[in-house]
Amino acid sequence: MFPDKLNIPLGKSVNALVDWLVVNYGDAFEAFADALLTVLVWLEHLLRAAPWWLVIAIIAAIAYHASRSWKTTLGLALAMVAIGTLGLWDKAMQTLALMIIATGLSVIIGIPVGIGMAMSNKLRAVMIPLLDMMQTMPSFVYLIPALMLFGLGKVPAIIATVIYASPPVIRLTDLGIRLVDKEVLEASRSFGASRGQILWGVQLPLALPNIMAGINQTTMMSISMVVIASMIGARGLGEQVLTGIQRLDVGQGVEAGIAIVLLAVVFDRIGQSYGKKSRHSAKAGDGA
Amino acid sequence: MSYIDIRNIYKIFGPNPQKALTLAQKGENKNDILTQTGHTVGLSNVSLSIEQGETFVVMGLSGSGKSTLIRHLNRLIDPTAGEILFGGENILNMTTARLNAFRRAKLGMVFQRFGLLPHCTVLDNVAYGLKIQKTDRQKRQDAARKWIERVGLAGYEDSFPDELSGGMQQRVGLARALTTNPEVLLMDEAFSALDPLIRSDMQDELMKLQSELHKTIVFITHDLDEALKLGDRIAILKDGAMIQVGRPEEIVMKPADDYVRAFTRDINRSRVLRAKTLMMPIDDNTQQAGSGDWPEIAADMRLEDILPIAIACPAGINVVNHKQQRIGTLSKDQVIAALAA
């Protein structure tokens, strides 16, 4: 047995910290949560109130813009119809809203952090273990403090999803910028380009294919997180899976599972098509 | 004072260069410093003076520090010790803003693997330097078009770099460097990645441009033939140290050491040596003024062009300067002796 005397009460300290945050900054967290909730509720209403064919038409239009292929567009539209035929349209729209907000937030936070990591080796040294932790730590562990800070519901679900899903876009933004041809950078510097001119004119355009791949992975991970997020009260397809488990209703679980996979396929194909397009434009500039 | 003055430059690569620098300044050998401190000496006590309007070639094998040296001239790399002066101003004291302004106004650079922006068209690539200077769109595109035509790429304005051959891409690189109308053109192994025939074309093109533009060109190469063809003066670099600086004939006729001699052994001397170097000068004491029947050749004519004349007129040749005054004579035997040496 490991001697009890050497135990460090880390758990207690963490509890004390969370308590302290709740007591002292509860209002600030609440204000943040409210703002996030307002946006999410608005988007959710919009998606659920919109006629199903309009939503499918918009997704098909995006798919066509990304892929320029009627085949892909038709396939993805049919996948959306299939979700409807499973009777899960409304739940899928709830999940979709959650996913869009979580992915958007991940990208808004992730790209600047990734740029920072590419610019500063020190920030990178700090961020790499942090990102590893974010990806390996069981998500329930940070669901608990998120619950305590934001209460049950959609906001902690979004926070947990962002923590889980933002590492790929951060890592691939960093990687993409670091992989930019050194001679092209030297050329840019030799003409007297400032750091901003190099970032916007050279580094980001050339890193775009990698950044797009990162956004695609982040989207996929946030879809996979919706099931877990349903345990703290986020509605949607995850909730279906959860009740399926609770009632040992295998059929309901399978239906919801298929709907999640279909949604993932739709967004993966769209994301990949945009990735290919940006690779093409990074090389041949076919205006993305 | 020269236009560009490089004074006692040292460059040590590694995290703590000071100790290695002290050793290098004591004249220790590059390999000893590497084993003692783990630091690589990139450049060791290099001093150079480059005049305005000359084509100055730095020649060395890979690892000699030649690419490091040229990057010091626009501070893509900062030296560990030493001074770099442009027209009397030490560029190492410049702030970032001042340095960028200096790069924009005075320098253009051409790279070995071209360094073109793959996501921009030829037109946008060539206009890039002016875009950085925030010149308005119309003006910079007009200037770019002019130079695209000048380097023979008219009609390719809307192509992307990866649609062009290596030689064409380097023409884009050259046009891009010239569009900002810089005083100094830095060329880092600019033609080394090209096929021999294309390389020769590009060399001729550069010489033609230079005869009209009179830029100060610093040209890096590992190819002695290229150095001898392009250079007004040549510096030879080995292991980060300067071995010899001189005009092409000096390098060939009076190599400073065995290293340079080994290089010059295989080169085609008839392309380098000129009438002026080979001739018997006419001075007031010796009255060997030549004969009026002999053909006259210019003082800067190359040996390869003199040879057929010497064979046709074995008696002798008069060498004249640009004022058509006779300054020396050449005999067939002298020409053959120079070739055989």
Side-chain angles (χ1 to χ4, degrees):
Chain A
M1 280 290 283
F2 195 78
D4 284 344
K5 280 180 187 164
L6 292 179
N7 276 3
I8 296 169
L10 181 66
K12 276 183 194 160
S13 319
V14 172
N15 285 342
L17 175 71
V18 173
D19 286 344
W20 179 78
L21 282 175
V22 171
V23 172
N24 289 287
Y25 295 97
D27 291 344
F29 283 111
E30 208 158 300
F32 173 72
D34 282 348
L36 205 55
L37 199 59
T38 313
V39 180
L40 178 64
V41 167
W42 174 81
L43 183 65
E44 206 180 300
H45 273 298
L46 190 74
L47 285 172
R48 291 170 74 181
W52 62 272
W53 48 266
L54 183 64
V55 175
I56 292 180
I58 291 172
I59 288 177
I62 296 173
Y64 183 73
H65 180 252
S67 64
R68 303 273 165 205
S69 147
W70 287 113
K71 234 170 155 181
T72 309
T73 308
L74 187 68
L76 298 187
L78 282 178
M80 291 306 292
V81 171
I83 293 175
T85 58
L86 287 168
L88 292 169
W89 183 261
D90 199 42
K91 302 271 180 205
M93 288 304 105
Q94 288 179 327
T95 297
L96 187 58
L98 202 66
M99 191 202 87
I100 290 174
I101 299 287
T103 305
L105 214 55
S106 299
V107 169
I108 290 170
I109 297 169
I111 290 180
V113 173
I115 292 172
M117 278 171 71
M119 302 277 163
S120 153
N121 284 329
K122 275 184 193 152
L123 182 65
R124 191 163 195 264
V126 175
M127 284 304 296
I128 292 275
L130 196 66
L131 292 174
D132 291 342
M133 210 167 82
M134 283 158 73
Q135 285 185 297
T136 51
M137 177 88 70
S139 27
F140 295 106
V141 175
Y142 48 79
L143 279 178
I144 304 166
L147 264 179
M148 293 184 68
L149 293 172
F150 299 105
L152 265 174
K154 298 182 168 94
V155 173
I158 291 178
I159 303 294
T161 308
V162 168
I163 293 175
Y164 180 70
S166 58
V169 71
I170 298 178
R171 283 186 205 273
L172 281 162
T173 302
D174 170 45
L175 180 75
I177 292 178
R178 282 174 188 266
L179 284 182
V180 170
D181 185 354
K182 196 170 149 271
E183 214 172 51
V184 177
L185 279 185
E186 276 191 329
S188 184
R189 286 173 64 203
S190 76
F191 283 101
S194 65
R195 287 185 77 155
Q197 285 172 325
I198 295 173
L199 181 67
W200 290 104
V202 181
Q203 289 174 311
L204 284 181
L206 294 185
L208 198 60
N210 276 310
I211 296 176
M212 291 303 291
I215 293 176
N216 190 29
Q217 282 192 33
T218 289
T219 312
M220 292 302 102
M221 288 177 76
S222 67
I223 291 181
S224 73
M225 190 66 185
V226 295
V227 179
I228 293 162
S230 67
M231 294 190 174
I232 51 170
R235 313 292 298 271
L237 293 171
E239 190 191 12
Q240 282 304 101
V241 176
L242 192 66
T243 52
I245 294 170
Q246 285 163 347
R247 296 181 198 152
L248 289 178
D249 185 343
V250 180
Q252 189 187 341
V254 168
E255 279 179 356
I258 289 173
I260 291 173
V261 170
L262 287 174
L263 205 57
V265 167
V266 169
F267 281 87
D268 182 54
R269 290 298 173 273
I270 291 177
Q272 279 191 16
S273 300
Y274 273 120
K276 266 186 210 140
K277 203 168 166 179
S278 69
R279 226 181 330 276
H280 185 64
S281 68
K283 270 207 136 63
D286 179 66
Chain B
M1 189 172 12
S2 308
Y3 180 53
I4 305 173
D5 255 317
I6 299 174
R7 292 185 188 158
N8 310 100
I9 289 288
Y10 288 86
K11 177 65 192 178
I12 314 285
F13 292 106
N16 297 304
Q18 277 313 316
K19 190 181 165 206
L21 175 65
T22 317
L23 291 174
Q25 281 171 334
K26 277 185 201 149
E28 293 249 2
N29 169 301
K30 182 175 174 170
N31 287 331
D32 293 346
I33 296 176
L34 182 62
T35 42
Q36 276 184 52
T37 65
H39 284 60
T40 306
V41 180
L43 291 173
S44 181
N45 200 17
V46 172
S47 297
L48 274 180
S49 299
I50 298 169
E51 305 298 334
Q52 197 145 22
E54 80 172 327
T55 303
F56 191 93
V57 179
V58 179
M59 218 278 310
L61 299 182
S62 51
S64 63
K66 56 192 190 303
S67 287
T68 308
L69 178 62
I70 198 171
R71 278 165 177 69
H72 278 76
L73 292 176
N74 56 0
R75 279 188 65 193
L76 289 178
I77 297 176
D78 280 346
T80 312
E83 286 183 323
I84 301 161
L85 289 92
F86 263 77
E89 186 181 7
N90 188 348
I91 63 168
L92 300 174
N93 295 336
M94 289 179 176
T95 59
T96 309
R98 173 83 186 84
L99 176 65
N100 277 339
F102 164 75
R103 285 170 174 168
R104 289 175 193 187
K106 299 216 167 155
L107 303 176
M109 189 158 178
V110 184
F111 294 83
Q112 180 173 9
R113 290 182 305 113
F114 325 131
L116 301 177
L117 302 170
H119 60 296
C120 296
T121 59
V122 167
L123 184 65
D124 288 340
N125 264 292
V126 174
Y128 184 70
L130 291 176
K131 186 182 174 192
I132 292 299
Q133 298 179 15
K134 303 194 173 85
T135 311
D136 65 61
R137 197 181 169 79
Q138 193 57 47
K139 242 186 205 165
R140 68 177 190 246
Q141 292 198 342
D142 289 345
R145 277 179 216 284
K146 190 188 101 186
W147 281 106
I148 289 170
E149 200 178 319
R150 189 77 182 267
V151 298
L153 285 179
Y156 289 94
E157 287 86 352
D158 297 325
S159 303
F160 286 90
D162 65 351
E163 298 165 1
L164 305 180
S165 69
M168 288 158 93
Q169 288 188 46
Q170 196 56 298
R171 283 170 196 269
V172 177
L174 189 59
R176 176 175 69 174
L178 288 167
T179 301
T180 56
N181 193 21
E183 289 176 17
V184 181
L185 209 50
L186 304 174
M187 305 188 70
D188 179 25
E189 298 226 33
F191 305 148
S192 300
L194 307 177
D195 298 336
L197 275 177
I198 312 274
R199 190 187 313 164
S200 179
D201 276 354
M202 290 294 285
Q203 290 164 353
D204 294 338
E205 184 98 26
L206 180 68
M207 282 161 72
K208 204 176 107 209
L209 280 170
Q210 172 66 349
S211 67
E212 297 160 31
L213 301 172
H214 307 293
K215 304 275 181 200
T216 305
I217 299 178
V218 182
F219 194 101
I220 302 292
T221 182
H222 61 255
D223 176 358
L224 187 63
D225 275 324
E226 185 168 69
L228 295 170
K229 180 171 174 183
L230 297 176
D232 293 321
R233 284 194 304 148
I234 297 169
I236 293 181
L237 213 55
K238 183 198 173 196
D239 292 341
M242 196 63 77
I243 307 280
Q244 188 175 5
V245 183
R247 287 182 296 107
E249 299 96 301
E250 288 171 345
I251 302 281
V252 175
M253 301 293 273
K254 296 175 207 147
D257 64 5
D258 290 343
Y259 182 76
V260 182
R261 193 168 297 122
F263 261 120
T264 55
R265 195 182 303 133
D266 295 331
I267 62 112
N268 184 349
R269 299 162 67 92
S270 68
R271 282 217 190 133
V272 180
L273 301 179
R274 293 167 193 269
K276 198 177 173 188
T277 337
L278 301 171
M279 69 185 187
M280 288 278 272
I282 298 173
D283 54 40
D284 296 334
N285 301 330
T286 53
Q287 291 295 319
Q288 30 91 284
S291 157
D293 303 337
W294 295 356
E296 290 187 341
I297 62 169
D300 66 352
M301 187 180 263
R302 293 171 200 270
L303 182 53
E304 63 180 354
D305 300 323
I306 301 170
L307 190 59
I309 302 172
I311 289 168
C313 311
I317 300 170
N318 290 318
V319 179
V320 299
N321 65 12
H322 59 279
K323 290 176 195 151
Q324 299 299 319
Q325 293 164 329
R326 286 185 197 169
I327 53 171
T329 62
L330 263 173
S331 69
K332 181 183 159 197
D333 291 345
Q334 276 174 298
V335 170
I336 289 168
L339 271 178

